[in-house]
Structure formats: structure tokens, C-alpha cells
Amino acid sequence: MVLFSLVATHADIDLETVAQLSTGASELATSALAGSPAVTGAIVLSTCNRFEIYGEAARPDDVEDARAALIGQLSGSTGLNEQLVARSFNTHTGADVTRHLFSVSSGLDSAVVGEREIAGQVRRALITAQHEGTASSGLVRLFQAASKTAKDVGAQTALGARGLSVVSVALDLATELSEVPDWSTKKVVVFGTGAYAGATMSLLRERGCTDVSVYSSSGRAAGFVSTRGGTALDGESLPAAVAAADVLIGCSGADTRVEAAELALVRADSQQPLIAIDLALTHDFDPAIGGLEGVELLTLESVRLAAPQEQAESLAQASTIVAGAASTFEQEREARSVDSAIVALRRHTMNVLDAEMEKVRARHGCTAAAEEVEFALRRMVKQLLHVPTVRARELASNGQQEDYVAALEALYGITVEQPSAPAAVAECPVDHQTLGGARETA
């Protein structure tokens, strides 16, 4: 089995394209598995600044067909040109897949280096894939190992010790821009009830903010604030809350958004400055609101540019842990890849032994002499199989397992059948909504 990944992130393409790709995330893995025999497993990792597809194929020759199938499915579900979709992704295979995911899960590839939110998103992507029946055994092991590596980085280094995240950096920026930096005096309206909205509520409480209202176009605000605090808004109470707000925070990513003209009308009589923080990948706020008088707009790009770099020593230490974990995982995976060959050789050898013992019993019966012959033969077979078994794992650790399989077929006529595998999908933790009452999807 061969692991591969298609990676589209903020480092290579604009966030708008990432957002467009992510709209096809929900059914991608399921439809790809149903539509292409080349794809035996798939997990989709979709966050505020990345869209990544992790897949498994039966053979190296199937990877290109699997990639084409996934790109075709995405093009169809998003309406984007197939060539644009293909250009948006970097393709990784083999050990590169492992190194990249381990780095991502550990926060080394994030806009805010060392942030811990991504580790939870990686776990949720695996859980979603397992729930939908698309996570192959190889991908399950990969994602579980990535999560363990992220825990090791968090426990053994100071990386991310300050609790930095996309939300915390955005709030830091808002503090710097405010005439009055004290959050206990601010009125805040949060759009959304998803993962980022939950993280935002927690961080606002830590900063002393108590006047927080939450709007959900799908009507989930009441349930959300019942466990997190705050005031639930509906379509009627929203305009007045926005008019009085000091800060708007968009965490939903709905199909519609707060337009500049709409905001200007609602706040026509408001004199205090407004900071709008747009954390939604598909934009909760019209970018033009940044041009309104008295309004400062912060976006994910603002966060990326403002994110502080972690200490070089911690970053180097974390990178060493990730590299070691990836190397170990690859060695173990290569060793496991010859398990089927070892089983096939043992089965072949034992079948020959059993056939010969049948002849012995037919001639001499179940006598003590026959039992001694069988005991001696089984000891001999065990000793004969020891070296081929050890050599199988040695060759696999060096990436030469195919040579071993070819030797078995050439010498013994043994055909090694690889076990079949399932598949997987991902999730985006961002909700989708705006002032006007859009459908919330997160």
C-alpha cells in the first residue's frame, strides 16, 4: 500500500483559493472511494488556511490515477476548473507524506508557528473519516502517529507554551489597535458557533471581556451561550448589537456576509471606533468594510503577518522530534509491508510439511516414530524460516520489500496478496454566516 497527499496551504496559494477548495470537502473522500478503484483510503484535513487530502493506493502505479480522481471530484463539487484545482496542490508520496503531516500536527507549518489548535483539527479529521468509513488502516496509523508526535512536541519543548493561536494573535492585534485596550470595557459580537467561536469565547473570558453577544443564522446561538456564557442574538436583535459593538468577530464562514453598505447603515449613528476581526476562511465580512470611516478590519492574512516567530531553539528541538518520529514511523511501516510475504512463505512451507506428514502417517500410522519425525521436521522448518524472516524485515527497512516479494515468486512460485484497506475524510472547524441571516454550516 502507498500513502500520498495533496497539499494546498497559505504558503503556496491565496486563502481565497483555499476557501474555494474547501467547499468540496464534505463528500470528497466518500465519492472518491466510490468512484475510483485507485483510491483505497482518504482523509481530508480542512482548516482556516489549508486544504489537504491524504490518500492510500494499492500500488505506486495507482497514485497518479488516485490523484486524478480526487482532482476530478473536487472540480465537480466546487465548480472550479480542473486545471486550476490541479495547480493548487503539491503532491507528496512516501516519507514526504509522513514528515509533512507530523510537522502540520505539531504546529510547525502553521501561520502561527507552534499553535495547538491544529493538533485537534488533525484528530477530528481522523475521527470524521473513521465515522464515515473512509479511513484505511495505513492512514489511521499515520494520523494516530501524527497526533502522538504533536503531544511529544508539546510536552518536550517550549514551542507554543504561550498558547498562541490564530484567535489569540488576532485579539492581540485588536488590543494594539484599540484606543482603550481594556477588554472588560468592550462590547463584542461573535458570529458563529463552531470551533473557532468556542476558542474565541474562552480567550475573551481570559481577557476579562464579559459583554459578549453571539449570532447564529441557524438558530444555534442560544444553545451555544448556555454552556459558554454570553447573550444569544437573533435577526431582530442583531442590528442593535452591531450598532453598539466595539468589536465584531466573524467565525462562521456562511454563504452570505456582512456587506459594507449594510454595516454603514446599521452604524450610521454610532460614534465609537469599530474593529472587525474576520477569522472565517470564506469571509464573514465584506473586505470593503475596512474602507469605512472608523472601522479597522483584521483578516487571517493580518494574523499570518503579525504572528510572532517562536524561539529558534524550541523550533529546532521540535523539528528534531518530528524528524525522528517520522523516520521511526517509516521504518515500522516498511517493516509491516512484508508481513504478507512472511505469512505467505510460512503458509507455503507448512503446507509442504503437512503434505509430507500425511504420507508418513499413511505409511506408518499415528505412531511414536511418526510423532518424532513430525517434531523434528517442524523444528527444522522453524530454523529454516528464521533467516528469511529476519532478512525480510531488514530489506523492508531499506525500502527493498519488493525485491523480497519478487524473490519468493521467482524461487517458490508464491503470489503475495496484500490485504485490502478502507479510507477517510476531513472537516473544517469554521462556521458559515453573517448579519443577514445566512445558513450556518460549521
Side-chain angles (χ1 to χ4, degrees), residues 74-274:
L74 258 184
S75 176
S77 62
T78 62
L80 295 174
N81 178 278
E82 195 162 316
Q83 291 183 337
L84 172 62
V85 175
R87 288 197 305 269
S88 299
F89 289 103
N90 289 321
T91 303
H92 297 246
T93 56
D96 289 342
V97 177
T98 304
R99 284 192 293 267
H100 178 74
L101 180 59
F102 284 19
S103 293
V104 168
S105 185
S106 300
L108 302 188
D109 195 57
S110 297
V112 179
V113 176
E115 58 100 356
R116 309 307 296 166
E117 290 170 350
I118 184 64
Q121 292 162 343
V122 168
R123 287 194 300 273
R124 289 194 292 274
L126 173 59
I127 291 170
T128 299
Q130 291 176 307
H131 177 73
E132 297 183 2
T134 61
S136 67
S137 57
L139 288 172
V140 169
R141 284 192 292 268
L142 175 69
F143 271 67
Q144 288 175 340
S147 292
K148 180 182 182 303
T149 302
K151 289 180 181 178
D152 290 342
V153 167
Q156 299 175 33
T157 77
L159 195 68
R162 287 179 290 166
L164 292 176
S165 67
V166 170
V167 179
S168 66
V169 173
L171 295 182
D172 287 344
L173 280 174
T175 302
E176 294 175 6
L177 290 172
S178 298
E179 294 179 0
V180 180
D182 184 0
W183 282 89
S184 66
T185 66
K186 297 186 185 303
K187 296 180 180 180
V188 179
V189 176
V190 175
F191 292 80
T193 56
Y196 273 112
T200 298
M201 295 292 284
S202 296
L203 288 172
L204 286 172
R205 280 199 305 272
E206 289 179 10
R207 293 168 188 247
C209 185
T210 57
D211 192 343
V212 182
S213 301
V214 178
Y215 174 71
S216 167
S217 60
S218 63
R220 290 185 287 193
F224 181 81
V225 300
S226 67
T227 57
R228 295 174 175 83
T231 302
L233 300 174
D234 56 21
E236 292 184 5
S237 57
L238 178 62
V242 170
D246 300 296
V247 181
L248 304 180
I249 304 178
C251 309
S252 72
D255 294 334
T256 59
R257 62 188 181 184
V258 178
E259 298 295 336
E262 182 181 13
L263 183 63
L265 179 63
V266 169
R267 291 182 61 87
D269 297 326
S270 179
Q271 300 300 313
Q272 78 263 33
L274 175 69

Side-chain angles (χ1 to χ4, degrees), residues 263-289:
L263 183 63
L265 179 63
V266 169
R267 291 182 61 87
D269 297 326
S270 179
Q271 300 300 313
Q272 78 263 33
L274 175 69
I275 297 176
I277 304 173
D278 196 345
L279 300 180
L281 186 59
T282 52
H283 300 309
D284 279 347
F285 306 137
D286 177 3
I289 72 172

Side-chain angles (χ1 to χ4, degrees), residues 366-416:
C366 294
T367 61
E371 289 183 1
E372 286 189 26
V373 169
E374 180 175 2
F375 179 74
L377 287 177
R378 290 192 182 278
R379 281 190 62 189
M380 181 184 70
V381 166
K382 183 178 179 180
Q383 291 176 354
L384 288 174
L385 288 175
H386 175 70
V387 172
T389 299
V390 171
R391 288 293 294 149
R393 301 203 182 281
E394 289 175 350
L395 289 169
S397 66
N398 293 324
Q400 296 176 275
Q401 62 273 19
E402 292 183 7
D403 294 342
Y404 186 84
V405 172
L408 290 186
E409 294 178 349
L411 293 174
Y412 299 105
I414 297 174
T415 300
V416 179

